[in-house]
Amino acid sequence: MPPADDTTPRALAGAPTGPVAVPAAVERVAGGARLEPVWENQLGGLTFRVGAERYVKWAPAGVTGLDLAAEAARLAWAARWTTVPEVLEQGADDEGAWLVTAALRGRSAVEAPWVDRPAEAAAAIGEGLRALHDALPVGDCPFSWSTAERVARALEHLDAGDTPAGWSPEHRDLTVAEARARLRDVPDVDLLVVCHGDACAPNTLIGDDGRWAAHVDLGSLGVADRWADLAVAAWSTEWNYGPGYAGTVYDAYGLAPDPDRIAFHRLLWDAT
């Protein structure tokens, strides 16, 4: 995923570009195995590959929005119906929290070779998201990612001084009052599903056959309108591959674009 510029929203996560300090808990988990930092986000969260069989995510203590215990619970629940990382260990200390998972077959949709084959990757993202939504049972899901809760959080952020000036190019020209009004104009629910919660391109793994293989990073998984996932999944192809692939995601998912729902859920993503 490229760094933020005037075409991408906010600061985006991505592969580390410089030296990474390894937390003590991660060193302990590795037990002498080779550690390779593979991902970092804007909140200070890190992901390391441990040898060939494990990954460990680490989040600094006290950071809102990186709840690895919550992610472990969601992975354990979702694993009954779809392919997600197996949880091997989860814990915390004064420095931070960690989550150890088993490696899965497939490569991220933003790694080689898929980053150089964006049409195939976008199709796999759409197909995989539809499979996830079809597989996970809404009635059995104990987790929520509801629009109402997220809108309330977005309005709190605006009350605390957040402004659209730091959002994506599509939204940066909005005034705070305009952003509030649009966030309060919530479209009717199309279909409730168990959403991934962060359906951006990096979180779909693709197998050697070009088909989706698994999903990762399900820390926000919960029940919501399917467009909350789909609008952002398609949008993320622009950040990772350039323009022209959002339609491929919608086609592979099996839905025609819904401009009003897409616009709303992208704004809500930016605002939260």
Side-chain angles (χ1 to χ4, degrees):
M1 185 180 290
D5 57 24
D6 61 0
T7 65
T8 56
R10 295 186 181 266
L12 298 177
T17 57
V20 174
V22 180
V26 174
E27 292 276 17
R28 180 193 60 76
V29 166
R34 181 175 181 270
L35 277 171
E36 178 187 358
V38 295
W39 204 255
E40 62 181 343
N41 64 37
Q42 60 270 43
L43 299 177
L46 299 167
T47 302
F48 297 83
R49 183 180 291 115
V50 185
E53 302 296 331
R54 293 177 294 161
Y55 284 84
V56 57
K57 296 178 73 171
W58 181 85
V63 174
T64 302
L66 292 178
D67 188 341
L68 297 185
E71 181 169 359
R74 285 162 168 79
L75 289 172
W77 179 84
R80 289 179 281 174
W81 295 283
T82 190
T83 304
V84 297
E86 177 189 359
V87 176
L88 302 177
E89 179 185 339
Q90 194 278 317
D93 58 21
D94 291 342
E95 187 180 15
W98 60 90
L99 172 62
V100 186
T101 58
L104 291 170
R105 178 181 68 88
R107 292 180 177 273
S108 168
V110 300
E111 293 181 1
W114 307 115
V115 72
D116 299 316
R117 295 158 64 178
E120 292 174 72
I125 291 166
E127 180 189 22
L129 189 59
R130 180 58 181 262
L132 182 79
H133 289 171
D134 287 349
L136 297 177
V138 172
D140 291 339
C141 183
F143 310 111
S144 174
W145 195 49
S146 79
T147 296
E149 293 167 355
R150 296 176 64 219
V151 166
R153 189 160 66 249
L155 295 175
E156 289 174 359
H157 290 173
L158 290 171
D159 288 342
D162 192 14
T163 73
W167 297 356
S168 69
E170 292 92 328
H171 306 135
R172 286 177 192 163
D173 291 336
L174 294 175
T175 66
V176 170
E178 289 169 336
R180 288 181 190 279
R182 293 191 187 187
L183 287 166
R184 290 186 173 117
D185 188 17
V186 180
D188 293 338
V189 171
D190 175 35
L191 180 68
L192 286 177
V193 300
V194 180
C195 280
H196 181 291
D198 186 1
C200 296
N203 293 332
T204 295
L205 302 189
I206 303 176
D208 291 341
D209 60 358
R211 304 288 298 277
W212 78 278
H215 291 97
V216 299
D217 287 351
L218 285 90
S220 296
L221 176 145
V223 175
D225 188 354
R226 60 183 172 182
W227 284 99
D229 262 354
L230 185 53
V232 174
W235 197 18
S236 76
T237 63
E238 299 178 16
W239 319 330
N240 290 283
Y241 311 132
Y245 300 101
T248 303
V249 175
Y250 299 130
D251 288 346
Y253 187 95
L255 280 182
D258 184 323
D260 290 342
R261 288 188 173 95
I262 291 168
F264 174 82
H265 285 290
R266 290 181 178 182
L267 175 64
L268 181 57
W269 177 265
D270 242 359
T272 53

